Amino acid sequence: MSNYPNFSLLSKLKPKASAKIYGNKQNPSIIGNAYFYQLNFGVIVVVDVEGLPKNDECDSPIFAMHIHAGDSCSGNENDEFADSGTHYNPKNYPHPYHAGDLPPLFSANGYAFSMFLTSRFTIDEVVGKTIIIHSSVDDFKTQPSGNSNEKIACGEIKELND
């Protein structure tokens, strides 16, 4: 018998935090949600997004996704999400070992769904931070952010009340 719980129980759990994700001015059709479920041994993150851009080179592009250390999806004319800050990296690890480095989103005709388990952070550590979708895939080696290019969508992680 495994020490890990039965993940089919996820449907009975309530998320402890969420983020409403929205696109930048060049990608206003991007909308989605991220939900964070705290377990004893880690956090389950569930992300669903629609309106992701397509390009001529690939019908189903891959997009980097990260938790950023900033507390806001506001910014300036050069970076619409500048206040989202840089990757959440409290232990100053090299990329891709930042606490905020997440699996990529694989687009299926502009839609993406991801669910994964991580022990890199607790929900209490990321509430008040941001989740970012970048325009390119993360190469998992280039410092400091995997050559993932511009921020095309952002969501502020907020605690949910029971």
Side-chain angles (χ1 to χ4, degrees):
M1 195 58 131
S2 171
N3 290 331
Y4 295 102
N6 180 345
F7 287 108
S8 64
L9 297 175
L10 184 62
S11 65
K12 296 177 183 171
L13 295 176
K14 290 184 180 180
K16 187 174 177 186
S18 70
K20 200 83 156 139
I21 299 169
Y22 60 91
N24 61 11
K25 289 178 185 168
Q26 292 78 30
N27 298 280
S29 62
I30 298 175
I31 58 168
N33 296 288
Y35 299 99
F36 300 82
Y37 299 81
Q38 185 69 58
L39 303 174
N40 290 337
F41 56 88
V43 175
I44 294 177
V45 181
V46 178
V47 178
D48 65 278
V49 182
E50 63 181 77
L52 292 166
K54 299 178 187 178
N55 61 41
D56 294 334
E57 296 176 22
C58 180
D59 289 333
S60 298
I62 303 169
F63 300 91
M65 182 171 59
H66 306 113
I67 303 284
H68 280 227
D71 62 359
S72 172
C73 289
S74 59
N76 55 54
E77 61 185 53
N78 294 326
D79 179 356
E80 205 170 323
F81 302 130
D83 297 331
S84 67
T86 59
H87 287 197
Y88 176 57
N89 188 15
K91 294 183 179 177
N92 202 30
Y93 288 157
H95 183 73
Y97 300 101
H98 302 156
D101 289 332
L102 306 178
L105 287 173
F106 288 82
S107 175
N109 296 312
Y111 295 90
F113 176 83
S114 178
M115 182 169 77
F116 57 91
L117 173 68
T118 182
S119 61
R120 293 182 175 200
F121 55 81
T122 66
I123 293 174
D124 289 339
E125 292 170 337
V126 297
V127 164
K129 306 216 178 331
T130 52
I131 186 166
I132 294 288
I133 299 172
H134 293 270
S135 63
S136 297
V137 67
D138 188 325
D139 67 13
F140 295 105
K141 60 184 177 186
T142 304
Q143 300 301 320
S145 61
N147 199 29
S148 51
N149 291 323
E150 74 173 306
K151 303 167 194 166
I152 61 170
C154 182
E156 296 172 5
I157 303 170
K158 299 181 179 185
E159 188 168 16
L160 294 173
N161 298 321
D162 289 334

